[in-house]
Amino acid sequence: MAVDYLWQSKGQVPPVGVSLKTEHLAHVLNARPAMAFFEVHAENYMTKGGAHHRYLEAICEHYALSVHGVGMSLGSAEGLDPAHVDRFRGVVARYGPVLVSEHLAWSVQGGTYLNDLLPLPLTQESLRVVSANVSRLQDAVGRAILIENPSSYLAFKASEMPEIEFLTRLADATGCGLLLDVNNIYVSARNMGFDALGYLDAVPAALIGEVHLAGHVVKDIDGIKLRIDDHGSRVCDDVWGLYERLVNRVGPKPTLIEWDTDVPDFDVLEAEATKALARMTAKVHVHA
Amino acid sequence: MPDLATFQREMRKAMVAGGVPSTTLEGAVVSDTLPAERRIRVHQNNYRESLCRALMSLFPVARVFVGEQFIKGVFAKYIAREPPCEAVLSHYGAGLPDFLAEFAPVCQVPYLRDIIRLEWAIHSLQLVEEFGNALSADGTPRLSPNVRLVDSDYPILNLWMAGTGQIPPEAVSLKAGGQCALVTLSGGEVRLAALDSAQRQTALRIEAGEPVEGDSLTMLTEMGAVDFHAG
């Protein structure tokens, strides 16, 4: 499949966007904030009707859109749910997004949807399963998609390769690109005790079709601090530092501020997007 | 390490049942600064808490009547009994009224099930395509796909209005008797109305597929509740 997961907005400034939440639909439509694109969860638009569709259709007349799936379960050994593939294809066909993405994770087994991005052992078997599922989804939507690196809270004894090697081999096998979530790298590195910089520097620049930035929460479990990726706060300074390092190496990439819980006023998301834009713009100037 | 299918089966069991994971699953996960069981519990908690949040957002009025702690307990039992079968969570919760019918702890709040039915009726209409006035093939009146009926032994509409802060709680008396709420999707908006006794009888007969006629049928048709072949 041809590489069609790369997107640059028509403006001179690299594209920065934010999650489009129900709480902000009316504000976005009425105030038309300066934003290159918005991202929605595909599963929230898999109903036939509703005001949210009417809002999104109107917003798409003015903004580019990214469709981000959270429930495809690309790591399911039993394969994809045909009905969900069909619903996903329907959302992509309806809105014609500039970016389409899903996760390196699984969430469905035996007809039960587990509503979490569950981890996979990084094995040859998993690589075969995920590759087959990604190819099937790409065939269904007729385009290459981006696969996001997950947040990790556990590791498997049987894993045979580092996550970035798994993702790179997945891209080689399927033609998919990467949605690089910098916060997820940070969360996983702190939770699992690996080097975030090593992971970040190993990501092939050409595969990155989008970058995610988000906040996380720190929980104390039996005296051990565990970082939980809850998308409910501002991006932390350490993650901004990783993002600057990434941009300095790979150049500007479409970047999204994700926010899914405890959603604040839109201007908070806008301020976070401005921070990302400042870092990307600085990079552009350095290379001018 | 078991094969991927076996691991995922074990993980699903651990997620749905909660509690201590199987030795197969625990043995597959690295124990380091935290034991494997505690790391698996992060995902068990994510599963239950995220579904609970989803249900809380769908049934805000029910929470008003029984409090956050009680309704979270109800949802936790429901999630354990009836996990979602698809990733579209806006479809999850349809089985909650049936679950509550057999859930003894809610007997102290006998109208809770009907509040849940009403909230689900409103929610479900917010997600469907609005149909134009279709004529039934054989001329028999039928309820429009744009409406839901919630017939209750309790003043369900008044309770809902109190729960949403539109009328003071003291304005609602359970002794006032039951109400039948007509929930209608019209012009992209969901509206609620209480049917009078005659309208209620007519609507329930239409829902049951029985023949009807008279002023109540005319009024229901004017309310957009009935698709009717006038010829």
Side-chain angles (χ1 to χ4, degrees), chain A residues 206-236:
Chain A
L207 290 182
I208 303 172
E210 184 184 353
V211 174
H212 272 181
L213 297 168
H216 62 265
V217 66
V218 181
K219 289 192 175 178
D220 188 296
I221 299 178
D222 299 342
I224 301 293
K225 284 189 168 52
L226 207 63
R227 283 165 168 75
I228 307 293
D229 179 39
D230 70 342
H231 300 174
S233 57
R234 293 175 188 269
V235 179
C236 75

PDB file of all heavy atoms in Angstrom, chain A residues 206-236:
ATOM      1  N   ALA A 206      10.908   9.148   9.144  1.00  0.00           N
ATOM      2  CA  ALA A 206      10.024   9.074   7.978  1.00  0.00           C
ATOM      3  C   ALA A 206       8.704   8.365   8.282  1.00  0.00           C
ATOM      4  O   ALA A 206       7.727   8.535   7.551  1.00  0.00           O
ATOM      5  CB  ALA A 206      10.736   8.344   6.848  1.00  0.00           C
ATOM      6  N   LEU A 207       8.669   7.577   9.339  1.00  0.00           N
ATOM      7  CA  LEU A 207       7.437   6.836   9.657  1.00  0.00           C
ATOM      8  C   LEU A 207       6.434   7.666  10.450  1.00  0.00           C
ATOM      9  O   LEU A 207       5.272   7.296  10.557  1.00  0.00           O
ATOM     10  CB  LEU A 207       7.768   5.575  10.464  1.00  0.00           C
ATOM     11  CG  LEU A 207       8.494   4.442   9.731  1.00  0.00           C
ATOM     12  CD1 LEU A 207       8.700   3.259  10.675  1.00  0.00           C
ATOM     13  CD2 LEU A 207       7.710   4.000   8.495  1.00  0.00           C
ATOM     14  N   ILE A 208       6.888   8.774  11.029  1.00  0.00           N
ATOM     15  CA  ILE A 208       6.011   9.538  11.931  1.00  0.00           C
ATOM     16  C   ILE A 208       5.025  10.380  11.131  1.00  0.00           C
ATOM     17  O   ILE A 208       5.407  11.305  10.420  1.00  0.00           O
ATOM     18  CB  ILE A 208       6.829  10.461  12.860  1.00  0.00           C
ATOM     19  CG1 ILE A 208       7.843   9.643  13.665  1.00  0.00           C
ATOM     20  CG2 ILE A 208       5.887  11.216  13.808  1.00  0.00           C
ATOM     21  CD1 ILE A 208       8.814  10.507  14.464  1.00  0.00           C
ATOM     22  N   GLY A 209       3.752  10.038  11.256  1.00  0.00           N
ATOM     23  CA  GLY A 209       2.706  10.795  10.571  1.00  0.00           C
ATOM     24  C   GLY A 209       1.987  11.765  11.489  1.00  0.00           C
ATOM     25  O   GLY A 209       1.309  12.684  11.030  1.00  0.00           O
ATOM     26  N   GLU A 210       2.108  11.545  12.793  1.00  0.00           N
ATOM     27  CA  GLU A 210       1.443  12.424  13.767  1.00  0.00           C
ATOM     28  C   GLU A 210       2.112  12.214  15.120  1.00  0.00           C
ATOM     29  O   GLU A 210       2.660  11.126  15.388  1.00  0.00           O
ATOM     30  CB  GLU A 210      -0.057  12.079  13.872  1.00  0.00           C
ATOM     31  CG  GLU A 210      -0.855  13.022  14.790  1.00  0.00           C
ATOM     32  CD  GLU A 210      -2.328  12.605  14.950  1.00  0.00           C
ATOM     33  OE1 GLU A 210      -2.773  11.663  14.249  1.00  0.00           O
ATOM     34  OE2 GLU A 210      -3.007  13.218  15.793  1.00  0.00           O
ATOM     35  N   VAL A 211       2.054  13.267  15.939  1.00  0.00           N
ATOM     36  CA  VAL A 211       2.580  13.193  17.306  1.00  0.00           C
ATOM     37  C   VAL A 211       1.447  13.525  18.278  1.00  0.00           C
ATOM     38  O   VAL A 211       0.659  14.441  18.023  1.00  0.00           O
ATOM     39  CB  VAL A 211       3.753  14.183  17.497  1.00  0.00           C
ATOM     40  CG1 VAL A 211       4.204  14.210  18.954  1.00  0.00           C
ATOM     41  CG2 VAL A 211       4.909  13.819  16.587  1.00  0.00           C
ATOM     42  N   HIS A 212       1.354  12.778  19.346  1.00  0.00           N
ATOM     43  CA  HIS A 212       0.406  13.083  20.423  1.00  0.00           C
ATOM     44  C   HIS A 212       1.147  13.598  21.646  1.00  0.00           C
ATOM     45  O   HIS A 212       2.212  13.081  22.003  1.00  0.00           O
ATOM     46  CB  HIS A 212      -0.374  11.824  20.843  1.00  0.00           C
ATOM     47  CG  HIS A 212      -1.619  11.592  20.057  1.00  0.00           C
ATOM     48  ND1 HIS A 212      -2.476  10.536  20.290  1.00  0.00           N
ATOM     49  CD2 HIS A 212      -2.182  12.292  19.035  1.00  0.00           C
ATOM     50  CE1 HIS A 212      -3.491  10.585  19.456  1.00  0.00           C
ATOM     51  NE2 HIS A 212      -3.348  11.637  18.675  1.00  0.00           N
ATOM     52  N   LEU A 213       0.536  14.583  22.291  1.00  0.00           N
ATOM     53  CA  LEU A 213       1.016  15.085  23.583  1.00  0.00           C
ATOM     54  C   LEU A 213      -0.179  15.106  24.536  1.00  0.00           C
ATOM     55  O   LEU A 213      -1.285  15.479  24.128  1.00  0.00           O
ATOM     56  CB  LEU A 213       1.582  16.502  23.435  1.00  0.00           C
ATOM     57  CG  LEU A 213       2.807  16.662  22.537  1.00  0.00           C
ATOM     58  CD1 LEU A 213       3.056  18.153  22.257  1.00  0.00           C
ATOM     59  CD2 LEU A 213       4.039  16.036  23.187  1.00  0.00           C
ATOM     60  N   ALA A 214       0.057  14.715  25.769  1.00  0.00           N
ATOM     61  CA  ALA A 214      -1.056  14.684  26.731  1.00  0.00           C
ATOM     62  C   ALA A 214      -0.503  14.731  28.147  1.00  0.00           C
ATOM     63  O   ALA A 214       0.712  14.601  28.359  1.00  0.00           O
ATOM     64  CB  ALA A 214      -1.894  13.419  26.541  1.00  0.00           C
ATOM     65  N   GLY A 215      -1.408  14.879  29.094  1.00  0.00           N
ATOM     66  CA  GLY A 215      -1.021  14.824  30.494  1.00  0.00           C
ATOM     67  C   GLY A 215      -1.273  13.440  31.071  1.00  0.00           C
ATOM     68  O   GLY A 215      -1.961  12.618  30.463  1.00  0.00           O
ATOM     69  N   HIS A 216      -0.677  13.177  32.217  1.00  0.00           N
ATOM     70  CA  HIS A 216      -0.909  11.908  32.898  1.00  0.00           C
ATOM     71  C   HIS A 216      -0.985  12.171  34.401  1.00  0.00           C
ATOM     72  O   HIS A 216      -0.667  13.259  34.868  1.00  0.00           O
ATOM     73  CB  HIS A 216       0.214  10.906  32.579  1.00  0.00           C
ATOM     74  CG  HIS A 216       1.562  11.358  33.033  1.00  0.00           C
ATOM     75  ND1 HIS A 216       2.443  12.020  32.197  1.00  0.00           N
ATOM     76  CD2 HIS A 216       2.198  11.273  34.228  1.00  0.00           C
ATOM     77  CE1 HIS A 216       3.549  12.306  32.860  1.00  0.00           C
ATOM     78  NE2 HIS A 216       3.425  11.864  34.102  1.00  0.00           N
ATOM     79  N   VAL A 217      -1.403  11.152  35.133  1.00  0.00           N
ATOM     80  CA  VAL A 217      -1.511  11.291  36.584  1.00  0.00           C
ATOM     81  C   VAL A 217      -0.543  10.309  37.239  1.00  0.00           C
ATOM     82  O   VAL A 217      -0.271   9.235  36.689  1.00  0.00           O
ATOM     83  CB  VAL A 217      -2.982  11.043  37.031  1.00  0.00           C
ATOM     84  CG1 VAL A 217      -3.396   9.591  36.776  1.00  0.00           C
ATOM     85  CG2 VAL A 217      -3.187  11.404  38.484  1.00  0.00           C
ATOM     86  N   VAL A 218      -0.014  10.705  38.389  1.00  0.00           N
ATOM     87  CA  VAL A 218       0.896   9.826  39.129  1.00  0.00           C
ATOM     88  C   VAL A 218       0.134   9.217  40.301  1.00  0.00           C
ATOM     89  O   VAL A 218      -0.472   9.936  41.100  1.00  0.00           O
ATOM     90  CB  VAL A 218       2.120  10.609  39.647  1.00  0.00           C
ATOM     91  CG1 VAL A 218       3.073   9.671  40.390  1.00  0.00           C
ATOM     92  CG2 VAL A 218       2.839  11.303  38.491  1.00  0.00           C
ATOM     93  N   LYS A 219       0.137   7.879  40.383  1.00  0.00           N
ATOM     94  CA  LYS A 219      -0.536   7.191  41.489  1.00  0.00           C
ATOM     95  C   LYS A 219       0.484   6.431  42.313  1.00  0.00           C
ATOM     96  O   LYS A 219       1.454   5.908  41.779  1.00  0.00           O
ATOM     97  CB  LYS A 219      -1.594   6.225  40.954  1.00  0.00           C
ATOM     98  CG  LYS A 219      -2.802   6.942  40.360  1.00  0.00           C
ATOM     99  CD  LYS A 219      -3.957   5.994  40.116  1.00  0.00           C
ATOM    100  CE  LYS A 219      -5.189   6.775  39.648  1.00  0.00           C
ATOM    101  NZ  LYS A 219      -6.327   5.898  39.352  1.00  0.00           N
ATOM    102  N   ASP A 220       0.235   6.397  43.605  1.00  0.00           N
ATOM    103  CA  ASP A 220       1.114   5.656  44.507  1.00  0.00           C
ATOM    104  C   ASP A 220       0.521   4.273  44.744  1.00  0.00           C
ATOM    105  O   ASP A 220      -0.578   4.147  45.273  1.00  0.00           O
ATOM    106  CB  ASP A 220       1.259   6.416  45.828  1.00  0.00           C
ATOM    107  CG  ASP A 220       2.312   5.781  46.729  1.00  0.00           C
ATOM    108  OD1 ASP A 220       2.116   4.636  47.155  1.00  0.00           O
ATOM    109  OD2 ASP A 220       3.340   6.433  46.989  1.00  0.00           O
ATOM    110  N   ILE A 221       1.234   3.245  44.314  1.00  0.00           N
ATOM    111  CA  ILE A 221       0.766   1.872  44.510  1.00  0.00           C
ATOM    112  C   ILE A 221       1.798   1.130  45.343  1.00  0.00           C
ATOM    113  O   ILE A 221       2.905   0.862  44.871  1.00  0.00           O
ATOM    114  CB  ILE A 221       0.533   1.173  43.152  1.00  0.00           C
ATOM    115  CG1 ILE A 221      -0.545   1.925  42.365  1.00  0.00           C
ATOM    116  CG2 ILE A 221       0.141  -0.293  43.362  1.00  0.00           C
ATOM    117  CD1 ILE A 221      -0.825   1.377  40.999  1.00  0.00           C
ATOM    118  N   ASP A 222       1.431   0.846  46.580  1.00  0.00           N
ATOM    119  CA  ASP A 222       2.338   0.151  47.512  1.00  0.00           C
ATOM    120  C   ASP A 222       3.691   0.856  47.600  1.00  0.00           C
ATOM    121  O   ASP A 222       4.752   0.212  47.599  1.00  0.00           O
ATOM    122  CB  ASP A 222       2.545  -1.312  47.081  1.00  0.00           C
ATOM    123  CG  ASP A 222       1.242  -2.097  47.084  1.00  0.00           C
ATOM    124  OD1 ASP A 222       0.280  -1.625  47.723  1.00  0.00           O
ATOM    125  OD2 ASP A 222       1.188  -3.156  46.440  1.00  0.00           O
ATOM    126  N   GLY A 223       3.660   2.196  47.614  1.00  0.00           N
ATOM    127  CA  GLY A 223       4.892   2.964  47.744  1.00  0.00           C
ATOM    128  C   GLY A 223       5.636   3.168  46.439  1.00  0.00           C
ATOM    129  O   GLY A 223       6.669   3.837  46.409  1.00  0.00           O
ATOM    130  N   ILE A 224       5.125   2.588  45.361  1.00  0.00           N
ATOM    131  CA  ILE A 224       5.755   2.753  44.046  1.00  0.00           C
ATOM    132  C   ILE A 224       4.923   3.742  43.232  1.00  0.00           C
ATOM    133  O   ILE A 224       3.697   3.621  43.156  1.00  0.00           O
ATOM    134  CB  ILE A 224       5.826   1.403  43.286  1.00  0.00           C
ATOM    135  CG1 ILE A 224       6.624   0.377  44.094  1.00  0.00           C
ATOM    136  CG2 ILE A 224       6.418   1.593  41.898  1.00  0.00           C
ATOM    137  CD1 ILE A 224       8.084   0.700  44.246  1.00  0.00           C
ATOM    138  N   LYS A 225       5.585   4.719  42.630  1.00  0.00           N
ATOM    139  CA  LYS A 225       4.867   5.696  41.809  1.00  0.00           C
ATOM    140  C   LYS A 225       4.643   5.113  40.413  1.00  0.00           C
ATOM    141  O   LYS A 225       5.604   4.746  39.725  1.00  0.00           O
ATOM    142  CB  LYS A 225       5.662   6.995  41.723  1.00  0.00           C
ATOM    143  CG  LYS A 225       5.565   7.827  43.000  1.00  0.00           C
ATOM    144  CD  LYS A 225       6.180   9.186  42.817  1.00  0.00           C
ATOM    145  CE  LYS A 225       5.826  10.121  43.965  1.00  0.00           C
ATOM    146  NZ  LYS A 225       6.113   9.550  45.293  1.00  0.00           N
ATOM    147  N   LEU A 226       3.377   5.042  40.023  1.00  0.00           N
ATOM    148  CA  LEU A 226       3.041   4.555  38.693  1.00  0.00           C
ATOM    149  C   LEU A 226       2.338   5.679  37.945  1.00  0.00           C
ATOM    150  O   LEU A 226       1.431   6.330  38.492  1.00  0.00           O
ATOM    151  CB  LEU A 226       2.119   3.329  38.814  1.00  0.00           C
ATOM    152  CG  LEU A 226       2.161   2.321  37.671  1.00  0.00           C
ATOM    153  CD1 LEU A 226       3.543   1.684  37.551  1.00  0.00           C
ATOM    154  CD2 LEU A 226       1.107   1.231  37.899  1.00  0.00           C
ATOM    155  N   ARG A 227       2.757   5.906  36.737  1.00  0.00           N
ATOM    156  CA  ARG A 227       2.145   6.962  35.917  1.00  0.00           C
ATOM    157  C   ARG A 227       1.025   6.375  35.066  1.00  0.00           C
ATOM    158  O   ARG A 227       1.251   5.389  34.367  1.00  0.00           O
ATOM    159  CB  ARG A 227       3.207   7.637  35.058  1.00  0.00           C
ATOM    160  CG  ARG A 227       4.034   8.608  35.878  1.00  0.00           C
ATOM    161  CD  ARG A 227       5.309   9.035  35.221  1.00  0.00           C
ATOM    162  NE  ARG A 227       5.898  10.164  35.940  1.00  0.00           N
ATOM    163  CZ  ARG A 227       6.529  10.078  37.121  1.00  0.00           C
ATOM    164  NH1 ARG A 227       6.660   8.904  37.708  1.00  0.00           N
ATOM    165  NH2 ARG A 227       7.017  11.158  37.707  1.00  0.00           N
ATOM    166  N   ILE A 228      -0.152   6.992  35.153  1.00  0.00           N
ATOM    167  CA  ILE A 228      -1.323   6.500  34.418  1.00  0.00           C
ATOM    168  C   ILE A 228      -1.682   7.535  33.352  1.00  0.00           C
ATOM    169  O   ILE A 228      -1.861   8.716  33.647  1.00  0.00           O
ATOM    170  CB  ILE A 228      -2.540   6.297  35.361  1.00  0.00           C
ATOM    171  CG1 ILE A 228      -2.160   5.411  36.562  1.00  0.00           C
ATOM    172  CG2 ILE A 228      -3.713   5.710  34.584  1.00  0.00           C
ATOM    173  CD1 ILE A 228      -1.843   3.984  36.240  1.00  0.00           C
ATOM    174  N   ASP A 229      -1.796   7.056  32.134  1.00  0.00           N
ATOM    175  CA  ASP A 229      -2.069   7.924  30.982  1.00  0.00           C
ATOM    176  C   ASP A 229      -3.563   8.248  30.938  1.00  0.00           C
ATOM    177  O   ASP A 229      -4.337   7.540  30.291  1.00  0.00           O
ATOM    178  CB  ASP A 229      -1.638   7.166  29.716  1.00  0.00           C
ATOM    179  CG  ASP A 229      -1.906   7.957  28.452  1.00  0.00           C
ATOM    180  OD1 ASP A 229      -1.701   9.173  28.463  1.00  0.00           O
ATOM    181  OD2 ASP A 229      -2.318   7.334  27.450  1.00  0.00           O
ATOM    182  N   ASP A 230      -3.974   9.324  31.617  1.00  0.00           N
ATOM    183  CA  ASP A 230      -5.416   9.600  31.709  1.00  0.00           C
ATOM    184  C   ASP A 230      -5.875  10.773  30.854  1.00  0.00           C
ATOM    185  O   ASP A 230      -7.069  11.069  30.811  1.00  0.00           O
ATOM    186  CB  ASP A 230      -5.810   9.835  33.175  1.00  0.00           C
ATOM    187  CG  ASP A 230      -5.259  11.149  33.718  1.00  0.00           C
ATOM    188  OD1 ASP A 230      -4.313  11.706  33.109  1.00  0.00           O
ATOM    189  OD2 ASP A 230      -5.766  11.625  34.748  1.00  0.00           O
ATOM    190  N   HIS A 231      -4.963  11.455  30.195  1.00  0.00           N
ATOM    191  CA  HIS A 231      -5.334  12.578  29.309  1.00  0.00           C
ATOM    192  C   HIS A 231      -6.224  13.574  30.035  1.00  0.00           C
ATOM    193  O   HIS A 231      -7.207  14.054  29.476  1.00  0.00           O
ATOM    194  CB  HIS A 231      -6.076  12.076  28.056  1.00  0.00           C
ATOM    195  CG  HIS A 231      -5.286  11.132  27.217  1.00  0.00           C
ATOM    196  ND1 HIS A 231      -5.821  10.485  26.120  1.00  0.00           N
ATOM    197  CD2 HIS A 231      -4.005  10.721  27.291  1.00  0.00           C
ATOM    198  CE1 HIS A 231      -4.908   9.706  25.568  1.00  0.00           C
ATOM    199  NE2 HIS A 231      -3.791   9.840  26.262  1.00  0.00           N
ATOM    200  N   GLY A 232      -5.852  13.882  31.275  1.00  0.00           N
ATOM    201  CA  GLY A 232      -6.715  14.754  32.057  1.00  0.00           C
ATOM    202  C   GLY A 232      -6.006  15.961  32.639  1.00  0.00           C
ATOM    203  O   GLY A 232      -6.513  16.581  33.578  1.00  0.00           O
ATOM    204  N   SER A 233      -4.841  16.305  32.092  1.00  0.00           N
ATOM    205  CA  SER A 233      -4.117  17.466  32.629  1.00  0.00           C
ATOM    206  C   SER A 233      -3.180  18.005  31.551  1.00  0.00           C
ATOM    207  O   SER A 233      -3.079  17.444  30.454  1.00  0.00           O
ATOM    208  CB  SER A 233      -3.319  17.058  33.877  1.00  0.00           C
ATOM    209  OG  SER A 233      -2.434  15.996  33.567  1.00  0.00           O
ATOM    210  N   ARG A 234      -2.466  19.088  31.901  1.00  0.00           N
ATOM    211  CA  ARG A 234      -1.535  19.689  30.953  1.00  0.00           C
ATOM    212  C   ARG A 234      -0.338  18.764  30.729  1.00  0.00           C
ATOM    213  O   ARG A 234      -0.022  17.923  31.563  1.00  0.00           O
ATOM    214  CB  ARG A 234      -1.036  21.035  31.495  1.00  0.00           C
ATOM    215  CG  ARG A 234      -2.129  22.095  31.577  1.00  0.00           C
ATOM    216  CD  ARG A 234      -1.563  23.353  32.229  1.00  0.00           C
ATOM    217  NE  ARG A 234      -2.606  24.337  32.520  1.00  0.00           N
ATOM    218  CZ  ARG A 234      -2.977  25.301  31.690  1.00  0.00           C
ATOM    219  NH1 ARG A 234      -2.399  25.410  30.507  1.00  0.00           N
ATOM    220  NH2 ARG A 234      -3.918  26.154  32.029  1.00  0.00           N
ATOM    221  N   VAL A 235       0.324  18.957  29.626  1.00  0.00           N
ATOM    222  CA  VAL A 235       1.543  18.209  29.312  1.00  0.00           C
ATOM    223  C   VAL A 235       2.620  18.605  30.328  1.00  0.00           C
ATOM    224  O   VAL A 235       2.810  19.788  30.617  1.00  0.00           O
ATOM    225  CB  VAL A 235       2.022  18.552  27.876  1.00  0.00           C
ATOM    226  CG1 VAL A 235       3.311  17.806  27.536  1.00  0.00           C
ATOM    227  CG2 VAL A 235       0.915  18.252  26.869  1.00  0.00           C
ATOM    228  N   CYS A 236       3.319  17.618  30.883  1.00  0.00           N
ATOM    229  CA  CYS A 236       4.310  17.945  31.915  1.00  0.00           C
ATOM    230  C   CYS A 236       5.634  18.406  31.272  1.00  0.00           C
ATOM    231  O   CYS A 236       5.892  18.157  30.087  1.00  0.00           O
ATOM    232  CB  CYS A 236       4.535  16.745  32.837  1.00  0.00           C
ATOM    233  SG  CYS A 236       5.529  15.426  32.125  1.00  0.00           S
TER     234      CYS A 236
END
